[in-house]
């Protein structure tokens, strides 16, 4: 593995070089040169990442660490800036760079008509990539947290790239604030890890986890397992980054950013960070069974919730965004039942077809001159046939239809939930299977509304056109991944070669037999996700092609349910009442009552008093010698009287 460290280091640092050059010199060298530099650095990084991955697979052995610099030295607390090279980090680096490079190339065409500085956009894209690479290559929790906060910052900059749009600014702030709430729990978890283990380095933590299985932690009036408390804190942090239920509200609003940003956030960077964290910390999470039950509960509920909301969304990008939220729920379900390998497998396959779906949606939006409402589209398959074919491939992968990528990874998660033989695992399997049906239904709802039927905006339809090659090329490459990645990677990620492939990068406790039992499911149980997926496609055809009047009739007949789903289960409205409005009221009271009423009046009052005293003092300076003499006489009388009186 030592030989692979050099290309691995180049792969992780090259995006930073591109970002720095574009950001610092972009105004001087121009948008075209800035784009070329960032894309070139990304291509170099991607090639090196594959070289490192292949070198690591051939070399085998224990994880390697490339020490870059000493970072923190504070008493007994020492942190180095280092790159951890193992199978988990190497596969994540290759996946992140592949998707990000294609997004960079796609952005050249998508942003070509942008009036704002494009060098800034490309600098942010590369910075986003670098932050994610720092996260997945970290050798300790401090460096991971640096990357964690880095992707949060970059997402804020990219979501709010069109800062002249109030909605984009609001979405960027919302994403930043919601993630800071979750990050507080994550930071407390890191602090507790240092208190308990005396270190933040992975290997040192993992080596001593079994020694703390019986360690208690007094919290809220009772004693809990310290490992359970730490795992729960880490998971809440992951819930924010990966948009799980209750901390998901920022994700659909992030669609206010340019479409390439949506593809990067949803496929390869920010939202995958939470899943990676839980997989990286698998040696600790394995010894927190109650936390894993909670993870299954949140993940399974999230995948169902997000699918129901995606079922009625009119916006093409928000529909795909909710599918991301739903698929992340599947990944956490796998984490909860101990199938960490299946979670990372689905994370990888999902990166291909989700990036492809978002970039395909960008081609549709480009063809329709920035229109995103699906109910204003229709009949576009004749105008943009290549995009139409790509959206079919991406949707088949998302729906888990054989032999597309999603079939291998999503079915593995559902099989893992079934063979876990637990009540919560069964709960996850039921909701996951129902969600598979809903996923197919809303995916083909999108296809039929956008590409079939009569054009609903004739003017936009007449001017619709296929995207340029610089945009279609990345989509075509991603379609290959959406088609074959599952079959190619399955033997290594979850099949017979998994133990040698992972090389200990992911940990399963001796009693965890989930991964070894994935094939031990009844035939009907194994086929059920595919069956319900095909039924969902068939129902979508009936509702949006054969009988297109039915959806409106159903929405009218079940108006309260339709409004409930359309308004996203009213989470935003609920949070507005519970948090936003009281906070604004308190802020307004402090503003007017304390800031303006007290703080600002103190210096103003002192200034007025000083001014009044000065004005009074100037009135005594009349220039009359008689008045000055009289004043001196009065002063002398007062002085003499005081001396005589006090003797």
């Amino acid at each position: 593995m030592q030989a692979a460290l050099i290309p691995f280091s180049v792969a992780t640092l090259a995006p930073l070089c591109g970002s720095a050059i574009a950001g610092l010199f972009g105004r001087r060298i121009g948008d075209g040169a800035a784009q070329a530099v960032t894309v070139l650095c990304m291509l170099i990084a991607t090639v090196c990442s594959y070289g490192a991955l292949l070198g690591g697979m051939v070399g085998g052995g224990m994880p390697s660490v490339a020490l870059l610099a000493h970072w923190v030295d504070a008493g007994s607390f020492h942190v180095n800036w280092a790159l951890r090279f193992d199978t988990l980090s190497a596969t994540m680096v290759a996946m992140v760079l592949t998707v990000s490079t294609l997004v960079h190339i796609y952005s050249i065409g998508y942003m070509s008509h942008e009036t704002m500085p494009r060098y800034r956009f490309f600098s942010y894209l590369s910075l986003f990539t670098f932050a994610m690479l720092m996260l997945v290559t970290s050798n300790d929790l401090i460096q991971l947290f640096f990357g964690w906060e880095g992707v949060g910052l970059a997402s804020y900059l990219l979501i709010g790239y069109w800062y002249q749009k109030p909605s984009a600014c609001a979405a960027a702030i919302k994403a930043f604030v919601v993630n800071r709430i979750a990050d507080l729990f994550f930071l407390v978890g890191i602090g507790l890890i240092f208190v308990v283990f005396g270190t933040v380095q992975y290997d040192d933590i993992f080596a001593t986890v079994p020694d703390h299985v019986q360690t208690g932690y007094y919290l809220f009036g009772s004693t809990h397992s310290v490992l359970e408390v730490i795992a729960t804190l880490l998971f809440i942090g992951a819930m924010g980054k990966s948009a799980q239920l209750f901390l998901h509200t920022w994700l659909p609003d992030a669609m206010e950013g340019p479409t390439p940003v949506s593809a990067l956030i949803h496929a390869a960077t920010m939202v995958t960070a939470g899943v990676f964290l839980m997989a990286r910390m698998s040696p600790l999470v394995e010894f927190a069974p109650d936390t894993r039950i909670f993870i299954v509960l949140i993940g399974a509920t999230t995948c169902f919730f997000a699918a129901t909301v995606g079922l009625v969304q009119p916006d093409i990008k928000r529909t795909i965004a909710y599918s991301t939220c739903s698929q992340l729920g599947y990944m956490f379900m796998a984490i909860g039942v101990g199938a960490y390998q299946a979670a990372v497998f689905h994370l990888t396959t999902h990166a291909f077809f989700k990036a492809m779906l978002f970039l395909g949606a960008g081609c549709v939006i480009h063809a329709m001159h920035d229109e995103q409402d699906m109910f204003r589209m229709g009949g576009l398959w004749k105008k943009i046939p290549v995009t139409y074919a790509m959206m079919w491939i991406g949707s088949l992968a998302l729906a888990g239809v054989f032999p597309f990528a999603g079939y291998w990874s999503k079915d593995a998660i559902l099989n893992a939930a079934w063979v876990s033989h637990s009540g919560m695992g069964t709960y996850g399997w039921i909701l996951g299977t129902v969600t598979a049906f809903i996923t197919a239904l809303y995916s083909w709802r999108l296809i039929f509304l956008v590409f079939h039927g009569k054009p609903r905006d004739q003017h936009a339809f007449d001017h619709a056109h296929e995207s340029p090659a610089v945009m279609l090329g990345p989509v075509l490459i991603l379609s290959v991944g959406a088609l074959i990645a599952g079959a190619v990677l399955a033997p290594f990620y979850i099949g017979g070669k998994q133990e040698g492939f992972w090389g200990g990068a992911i940990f399963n406790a001796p009693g965890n037999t989930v991964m070894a039992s994935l094939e031990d499911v009844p035939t009907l149980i194994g086929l059920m996700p595919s069956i319900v997926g095909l039924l969902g496609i068939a129902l979508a055809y009936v509702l949006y092609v054969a009988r297109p009047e039915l959806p409106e009739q159903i929405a009218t007949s079940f108006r309260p349910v339709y409004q409930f789903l359309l308004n996203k289960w009213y989470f935003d409205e609920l949070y507005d009442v519970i948090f936003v409005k009281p906070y604004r009221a308190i802020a307004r009271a402090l503003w007017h009552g304390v800031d303006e009423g007290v703080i600002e009046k103190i210096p103003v009052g002192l200034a007025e008093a000083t001014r009044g005293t000065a004005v009074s003092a100037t009135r005594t300076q009349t220039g009359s010698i008689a008045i000055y003499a009289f004043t001196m006489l009065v002063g002398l009388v007062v002085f003499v009287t005081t001396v005589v009186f006090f003797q």
Side-chain angles (χ1 to χ4, degrees):
M1 280 204 177
Q2 294 294 329
L5 286 177
I6 294 177
F8 188 69
S9 301
V10 173
T12 55
L13 298 175
L16 178 62
C17 296
S19 176
I21 294 172
L24 295 174
F25 305 106
R27 189 183 296 275
R28 295 182 182 179
I29 63 179
D31 288 334
Q35 291 174 174
V37 168
T38 53
V39 170
L40 178 61
C41 287
M42 292 301 301
L43 288 170
I44 293 172
T46 304
V47 172
C48 289
S49 72
Y50 281 101
L53 179 59
L54 293 174
M57 292 176 65
V58 172
M62 298 299 291
S64 299
V65 177
L67 178 62
L68 300 183
H70 296 289
W71 188 16
V72 179
D73 287 303
S76 61
F77 182 70
H78 305 283
V79 176
N80 294 322
W81 196 272
L83 303 178
R84 182 184 182 87
F85 180 68
D86 59 15
T87 305
L88 181 59
S89 62
T91 54
M92 288 294 296
V93 166
M95 181 274 290
V96 169
L97 285 171
T98 299
V99 174
S100 185
T101 299
L102 294 173
V103 169
H104 275 72
I105 296 171
Y106 178 94
S107 299
I108 295 174
Y110 191 87
M111 304 296 288
S112 60
H113 301 296
E114 180 59 51
T115 57
M116 296 178 65
R118 280 172 284 159
Y119 70 83
R120 182 163 58 88
F121 179 80
F122 280 83
S123 176
Y124 291 166
L125 280 184
S126 293
L127 178 63
F128 202 175
T129 306
F130 169 74
M132 187 64 187
L133 294 176
M134 289 297 99
L135 191 157
V136 300
T137 59
S138 61
N139 193 45
D140 57 68
L141 287 165
I142 301 301
Q143 186 177 330
L144 185 146
F145 192 72
F146 167 81
W148 192 272
E149 294 302 297
V151 294
L153 170 63
S155 67
Y156 170 80
L157 296 172
L158 286 167
I159 294 169
Y161 173 72
W162 288 319
Y163 59 85
Q164 295 172 331
K165 289 175 56 179
S167 58
C169 293
I173 293 171
K174 186 175 183 179
F176 197 80
V177 171
V178 172
N179 276 276
R180 296 296 75 70
I181 295 170
D183 291 352
L184 175 62
F185 290 87
F186 183 27
L187 193 58
V188 173
I190 295 174
L192 186 56
I193 285 175
F194 181 72
V195 169
V196 173
F197 295 94
T199 182
V200 292
Q201 292 190 352
Y202 297 141
D203 289 336
D204 296 337
I205 295 170
F206 300 156
T208 55
V209 163
D211 300 335
H212 294 280
V213 172
Q214 302 300 325
T215 303
Y217 189 78
Y218 190 76
L219 184 68
F220 301 133
S222 60
T223 302
H224 306 269
S225 166
V226 71
L227 298 183
E228 295 279 9
V229 175
I230 291 172
T232 300
L233 290 170
L234 297 182
F235 174 60
I236 294 174
M239 286 173 62
K241 273 290 182 289
S242 296
Q244 293 300 280
L245 195 65
F246 304 116
L247 293 171
H248 67 279
T249 53
W250 67 270
L251 190 64
D253 288 3
M255 298 303 98
E256 291 293 337
T259 299
V261 175
S262 303
L264 198 54
I265 289 177
H266 286 249
T269 53
M270 188 162 170
V271 298
T272 64
V275 179
F276 170 82
L277 170 67
M278 302 311 288
R280 173 60 80 193
M281 300 302 293
S282 57
L284 187 150
V285 177
E286 273 287 82
F287 294 96
D290 292 339
T291 300
R292 291 203 284 119
I293 291 173
F294 178 59
I295 293 173
V296 176
L297 174 64
I298 293 296
T301 308
T302 300
C303 79
F304 173 75
F305 149 76
T308 61
V309 177
L311 194 58
V312 298
Q313 292 299 303
D315 187 289
I316 185 172
K317 285 175 63 177
R318 285 179 182 262
T319 300
I320 302 174
Y322 276 108
S323 81
T324 299
C325 190
S326 182
Q327 298 304 306
L328 289 165
Y330 278 107
M331 299 175 206
F332 280 107
M333 191 194 312
I335 296 289
V337 299
Y340 309 97
Q341 296 89 337
V344 177
F345 185 28
H346 195 51
L347 184 155
T348 304
T349 59
H350 175 264
F352 287 108
F353 61 75
K354 185 51 58 69
M356 177 185 165
L357 284 171
F358 265 112
L359 297 185
C363 292
V364 172
I365 295 168
H366 180 78
M368 293 294 290
H369 306 285
D370 298 327
E371 179 60 65
Q372 295 183 199
D373 188 345
M374 293 186 293
F375 291 99
R376 295 179 61 84
M377 301 178 187
L380 286 176
W381 74 270
K382 297 178 181 179
K383 290 282 189 173
I384 47 175
V386 177
T387 300
Y388 173 61
M390 296 303 101
M391 293 297 285
W392 260 90
I393 293 174
S395 297
L396 288 167
L398 175 62
V401 176
F402 180 84
F404 294 87
Y407 164 81
W408 302 90
S409 54
K410 186 158 68 175
D411 279 28
I413 292 174
L414 293 175
N415 289 347
W418 180 267
V419 301
S420 67
H421 302 301
S422 63
M424 193 53 67
T426 303
Y427 171 81
W429 183 87
I430 293 172
L431 282 192
T433 303
V434 172
T435 300
F437 169 78
I438 301 174
T439 300
L441 178 56
Y442 70 66
S443 296
W444 268 262
R445 169 182 178 266
L446 183 154
I447 286 178
F448 293 141
L449 283 176
V450 172
F451 296 101
H452 291 268
K454 295 180 180 179
R456 300 175 189 88
D457 186 333
Q458 192 63 46
H459 177 74
F461 175 81
D462 291 339
H463 292 82
H465 55 85
E466 193 65 88
S467 299
V470 73
M471 293 172 64
L472 289 179
V475 182
L476 289 169
I477 295 172
L478 288 168
S479 70
V480 176
L483 180 59
I484 68 171
V488 171
L489 298 177
F492 299 97
Y493 279 68
I494 61 172
K497 300 179 181 179
Q498 62 173 297
E499 186 173 347
F501 175 74
W502 289 113
I506 293 178
F507 176 77
N508 294 111
N512 183 349
T513 60
V514 169
M515 291 306 300
S517 306
L518 287 183
E519 303 299 326
D520 299 336
V521 296
T523 302
L524 181 60
I525 296 299
L527 291 175
M528 190 59 70
S530 298
I531 293 172
V532 298
L534 294 174
L535 289 175
I537 296 173
L539 181 58
Y541 176 82
V542 172
L543 292 175
Y544 296 99
V545 178
R547 298 285 302 279
E549 73 280 359
L550 283 179
E552 185 175 354
Q553 294 175 6
I554 295 172
T556 303
S557 301
F558 298 94
R559 191 73 180 172
V561 176
Y562 174 74
Q563 288 296 324
F564 179 71
L565 299 181
L566 186 63
N567 287 281
K568 303 158 288 187
W569 289 27
Y570 292 103
F571 271 105
D572 283 313
E573 290 77 6
L574 181 64
Y575 288 172
D576 190 57
V577 171
I578 296 175
F579 300 112
V580 178
K581 288 183 178 179
Y583 179 82
R584 284 180 176 171
I586 294 171
R588 192 175 292 109
L590 293 174
W591 171 25
H592 292 297
V594 179
D595 194 17
E596 293 182 342
V598 178
I599 296 175
E600 290 186 7
K601 285 189 176 181
I602 290 175
V604 171
L606 289 174
E608 289 294 332
T610 303
R611 180 176 178 275
T613 303
V615 170
S616 299
T618 58
R619 290 173 180 170
T620 64
Q621 304 302 315
T622 62
S624 171
I625 296 177
I627 292 178
Y628 292 162
F630 179 74
T631 302
M632 293 171 65
L633 178 63
V634 171
L636 180 62
V637 170
V638 171
F639 175 75
V640 172
T641 303
T642 301
V643 171
V644 173
F645 181 78
F646 284 103
Q647 279 185 344

